[in-house]
Amino acid sequence: MAERIDGKKIAQEVVTIVKTKTVELLAQKHVKPGLAVVLVGEDAASHTYVSSKARMAEECGFLSVRHKLPADTREEDLVSLIETLNADPAIHGILVQLPLPPHIDSGRIIQLVAPEKDVDGFGFVNVGKLRSGELGSAFLPCTPAGCMLLIERVRGRNLSGLNALVVGRSNIVGKPTANLLLAANCTVTIAHSHTGDLAGFVRNADIVVAATGRPELIKGAWIKPGATVIDVGINRIPAPERGEGKTRLVGDVEYDAAEKIAGAITPVPGGVGPMTIAMLMANTVVSACRAAGLEEPVL
Ligand code: GUN
């Protein structure tokens, strides 16, 4: 049976390191890390995510600022807010929750966030640094960075020569995760909805990162014995066996079957999910350390 990778526990360890560094920043540099989270509109899931992020920032001892704007906010007003936050020395991290309402040009807004405050790592400067292997001064996107930490906890820091398969090519997860695995000297394949013989690629992979948003797309029988499986998917599917109208959460991997073959696997929920917020906190405290000239924490 595979080791069940406990994302909650590992995320808590990251948060503990963040809290320690926050105390040190305040004591030595009189600086409190500041995170501004910007939400436009009424999307229920986004409200939940933003509340969790802001609450965790408070728990870490940060200055936590929430900007909740109505769905009909003008793009120019959002631009002004980002410019104000860029110029505010008390703010070290700016996160604009996606998706934005359709009348706002998300691409323009993402690129307006100052690179040194871009704790989501979505702006071109940070994307380019990751792509070029300049990881030391970049902000890495939170979910991919969390996936790497989970993989390293299982496999150790040396992933050199391992076959890594990333299923999914989004800008938020698939592409940055592939770049991180490449920077770690893995042989990386990116599969996506047009890939033929997905099973064949999965069978050859020592590390599988699944980020497709398609419930249980990856069958347990495809997994290479001993492989490390990181499931980023969170899909709600009908569960009539639990009663009429009931649902349950599943990942992009068929967990019960994969667990019998893999070496280690993340559960859904409780795997990658908790890591995303923890890595956002880590990026924010790193940003504050860079601004204050204090050594960055090592995760
Ligand atoms: N919406 C869904 N995931 C994310 C994320 O990681 N960052 C932001 N800003 N918005 C999101």
Side-chain angles (χ1 to χ4, degrees):
M1 278 300 243
E3 172 195 344
R4 188 182 171 94
I5 304 171
D6 188 344
K8 271 193 209 163
K9 177 165 162 272
I10 298 170
Q12 198 52 56
E13 289 168 16
V14 171
V15 168
T16 300
I17 293 170
V18 169
K19 287 178 178 172
T20 305
K21 202 67 187 182
T22 302
V23 170
E24 204 182 316
L25 261 169
L26 206 52
Q28 293 188 16
K29 301 286 182 181
H30 311 290
V31 167
K32 192 181 229 205
L35 176 65
V37 181
V38 180
L39 174 62
V40 186
E42 306 304 330
D43 183 71
S46 290
H47 272 268
T48 307
Y49 291 139
V50 161
S51 295
S52 309
K53 289 168 184 176
R55 238 182 297 119
M56 182 61 87
E58 283 154 25
E59 190 192 319
C60 287
F62 295 179
L63 167 69
S64 173
V65 183
R66 283 185 233 199
H67 291 273
K68 289 191 177 173
L69 308 178
D72 61 356
T73 297
R74 290 185 325 135
E75 185 168 314
E76 293 314 316
D77 291 337
L78 185 56
V79 168
S80 300
L81 173 61
I82 305 290
E83 285 170 348
T84 303
L85 294 170
N86 280 344
D88 184 346
I91 297 299
H92 303 96
I94 302 169
L95 182 139
V96 183
Q97 186 67 26
L98 302 175
L100 290 170
H103 69 279
I104 293 178
D105 179 352
S106 305
R108 176 185 179 208
I109 298 297
I110 289 168
Q111 301 312 327
L112 274 178
V113 175
E116 68 277 12
K117 298 188 180 188
D118 175 22
V119 285
D120 250 336
F122 292 166
F124 292 149
V125 169
N126 286 303
V127 172
K129 284 185 178 184
L130 168 55
R131 180 76 188 187
S132 316
E134 298 257 342
L135 305 191
S137 68
F139 284 113
L140 305 177
C142 301
T143 301
C147 290
M148 288 303 289
L149 211 58
L150 296 180
I151 294 166
E152 287 173 359
R153 290 298 168 104
V154 174
R155 292 266 180 181
R157 297 232 172 203
N158 182 6
L159 306 178
S160 186
L162 295 174
N163 288 340
L165 175 69
V166 179
V167 191
R169 54 173 164 177
S170 69
N171 289 330
I172 293 184
V173 183
K175 284 179 203 161
T177 303
N179 281 311
L180 283 170
L181 288 161
L182 188 60
N185 296 322
C186 290
T187 303
V188 181
T189 305
I190 305 177
H192 46 75
S193 53
H194 295 255
T195 299
D197 192 24
L198 179 59
F201 286 107
V202 174
R203 279 195 192 98
N204 193 38
D206 303 302
I207 297 168
V208 179
V209 179
T212 68
R214 293 169 67 182
E216 299 181 320
L217 172 73
I218 295 166
K219 303 303 167 203
W222 300 350
I223 302 292
K224 179 177 175 179
T228 303
V229 179
I230 307 294
D231 194 346
V232 184
I234 304 179
N235 312 288
R236 192 166 282 287
I237 62 166
E241 72 280 5
R242 294 185 179 182
E244 202 185 312
K246 297 281 186 198
T247 60
R248 65 190 175 99
L249 289 177
V250 298
D252 293 354
V253 179
E254 197 187 26
Y255 185 91
D256 290 348
E259 184 189 34
K260 297 186 174 72
I261 303 171
I265 183 167
T266 57
V268 175
V272 175
M275 294 302 293
T276 299
I277 292 186
M279 299 314 283
L280 174 66
M281 301 304 127
N283 278 351
T284 306
V285 86
V286 162
S287 179
C289 286
R290 288 177 187 167
L294 191 71
E295 205 174 317
E296 296 175 20
V298 179
L299 298 178

